[in-house]
């Protein structure tokens, strides 16, 4: 089940990045004087960059039954991935599709954390 969640999350992350990064740049062009818009876009970019490492830790840790890689997966999920998703979710200026994308991502993260432990 854990492997399936990670597998589907990879494809959701591709959709997540391809929709939210251009949306973030568009928001910077339109309302660039608000610092939270810039921070949200940067955090979404950081999320997409660090997500490949997190998912790799999960894959390898589960297949090899390697405790250090699973711990790295849990630490990266709790410290970075939740923060990189929650801060843009709590921002004021959002497009309608962003709330649902953040909620789906938070559900993926929560289920992976529960099933992965």
């Amino acid at each position: 089940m854990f492997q399936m969640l990670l597998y589907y999350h990879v494809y959701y992350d591709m959709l997540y990045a391809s929709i939210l990064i251009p949306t973030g740049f568009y928001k910077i062009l339109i309302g660039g004087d608000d610092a939270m818009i810039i921070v949200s876009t940067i955090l979404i970019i950081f999320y997409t960059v660090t997500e490949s490492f997190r998912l790799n830790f999960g894959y390898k840790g589960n297949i090899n039954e390697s405790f250090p890689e699973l711990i790295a997966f849990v630490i990266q999920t709790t410290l970075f991935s939740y923060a990189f998703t929650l801060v843009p979710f709590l921002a004021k200026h959002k497009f309608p599709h962003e709330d649902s994308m953040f909620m789906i991502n938070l559900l993926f993260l929560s289920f992976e954390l529960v099933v992965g432990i």
Side-chain angles (χ1 to χ4, degrees):
M1 173 108 170
F2 182 59
Q3 288 294 110
M4 287 176 31
L5 279 171
L6 294 176
Y7 176 78
Y8 290 124
H9 200 178
V10 167
Y11 288 107
Y12 181 73
D13 283 335
M14 286 188 253
L15 178 69
Y16 187 84
S18 65
I19 291 176
L20 290 181
I21 291 175
T23 301
F25 286 130
Y26 181 71
K27 286 192 298 186
I28 289 173
L29 289 174
I30 300 301
D33 58 344
D34 187 14
M36 194 60 188
I37 293 173
I38 298 169
V39 169
S40 295
T41 304
I42 290 171
L43 288 178
I44 291 170
I45 292 170
F46 282 163
Y47 174 80
T48 57
V49 170
T50 60
E51 186 68 4
S52 62
F53 300 116
R54 186 185 75 86
L55 292 173
N56 190 25
F57 286 139
Y59 279 131
K60 285 185 178 180
N62 191 32
I63 289 175
N64 298 333
E65 296 180 2
S66 173
F67 187 69
E69 289 175 339
L70 286 175
I71 290 297
F73 170 80
V74 170
I75 289 172
Q76 192 169 357
T77 301
T78 55
L79 294 181
F80 299 113
S81 295
Y82 273 122
F84 292 160
T85 304
L86 280 175
V87 172
F89 179 64
L90 298 175
K92 293 180 197 173
H93 306 291
K94 291 182 281 191
F95 287 114
H97 67 278
E98 292 181 14
D99 278 336
S100 61
M101 293 195 76
F102 292 136
M103 283 189 250
I104 292 170
N105 197 27
L106 287 171
L107 282 172
F108 263 121
L109 291 172
S110 299
F111 285 139
E112 287 170 358
L113 196 59
V114 168
V115 173
I117 293 177

